[in-house]
Structures are given as C-alpha cells and as structure tokens.
Amino acid sequence: IIQLIDRIQNITLNAAEAGRDLLIPERTAQRYWKQFVDGEPYLPSTIGKSPGPPPTLQPIHTAFLQTYYDTKSDATLKEAQQSLVDKFKISITQSGLQKHLVNKFELTMKKLERISEYHNSDETIASCINWAHAFESSGMDYYKCIFIDEAGFNMHIKRSFGHSKRGTPAKALVSKSRGVNITIIGGITGEGVVNLSLRRPQAV
C-alpha cells in the first residue's frame, strides 16, 4: 500500500495505473488512495484501532507546515518529514503527517495547476499594463482590430499532485526553459474567432 501511494505521488500515475503495476485490484487501489487523501487510516494494521498517545506535532509545528506548503505546494510528504527533522528534530510517520495536514488546516492532495514563472513575473505584468495604457490613449477603434495571442503548454514531467487548503487550487511554478512546449495561436476580432492553429516542436 505504501508503494501504491508512492507511485501515485512521485511517478505521476493514477490509482488504477499504480494498482495494476502492483497487482492490486483497481477498486481497492482507488479506495486506499481516497482514504490517504482524506486523512483516514488506510493501512490494514491501523484501521479500527483506538487512538494512541497525544500527537507528536504541536501548534508551532502546524504553523511551520502551513507556511511550508504555502510556499512549496508540490512538496512530498517525505520532504515535509525531513523539513520537520531539520527544523525541530522531531519525526512523524507519513500517514500521521497526512492526517495532521487534513485535520488541522484542511490541506488536501489534488492535481497541481502549473503556472508559468515567466508569465506571472512582475516584469511581464508591468509590460502588459503599460501596453494597455498606451493603446487606451491612442484613440484606436478596437472593434476593427485583430488580436493575436498564444497559449503554451509545457510538456516536461512534474509532480501531478500537491497540497493546498480544501476548496483552493494547488499551484506550482514551472520553469520556462525546460521540456517540450506545444503552442496554440489564435486570432480574434469583435465579431469572433478568425483562426486557430497548433504549433508543435519540429524535429532537428
């Protein structure tokens, strides 16, 4: 079961695919993954047992973990474990840590929303604002213009899951200079879409 969770988190497989690799029935693998995500006991040896001693993690550790995942939502449980060791010299199991994340501040595992580091930089945002102000004062009839834009998709592999508060997306920055990019280019006017085209990388 631990190998199943590790495959889903770190090899970007879904529960069914990871279950097939380990010869675990699909429904069973999905149930284990759901129990893990919800912070419920998922190892057979822990289900139905009475609560143990008081939790290892105290409010100071909870605050640290909140800040840690706010700045690094794609961190694995193993990385968070190590951060607790480095900062406080304390240890907790991955299942205990996952339960703490869910119960204390509703931090749940979900698909990561990748954000381009370049497109969201202060320099790029300022450039877009300046461009809009310049055209706003030009007196141009925008209804007669054709606006062309592109949307790029970074194809390099990155973790598919991350932590964030329940009801909020998990986001992670991706580098603009790594992996294969596929680009969609489109043109629109006031009357609608003029054209759309797909640009794939060319073999060299």
Side-chain angles (χ1 to χ4, degrees), residues 91-110:
S91 179
I92 185 173
T93 64
Q94 288 191 24
S95 59
L97 177 56
Q98 173 67 16
K99 186 174 182 179
H100 186 84
L101 296 178
V102 173
N103 293 341
K104 291 299 181 180
F105 42 86
E106 297 188 332
L107 212 64
T108 57
M109 181 72 71
K110 62 198 69 170

Side-chain angles (χ1 to χ4, degrees), residues 7 18 22 28-29 47 50-51 53 70 92 96 111 117 125 145 163 203:
R7 274 172 161 75
L22 298 170
T28 303
I47 296 175
S50 59
D70 281 346
I92 185 173
K111 283 281 188 178
E117 188 174 27
I125 293 173
C145 295
H163 287 86

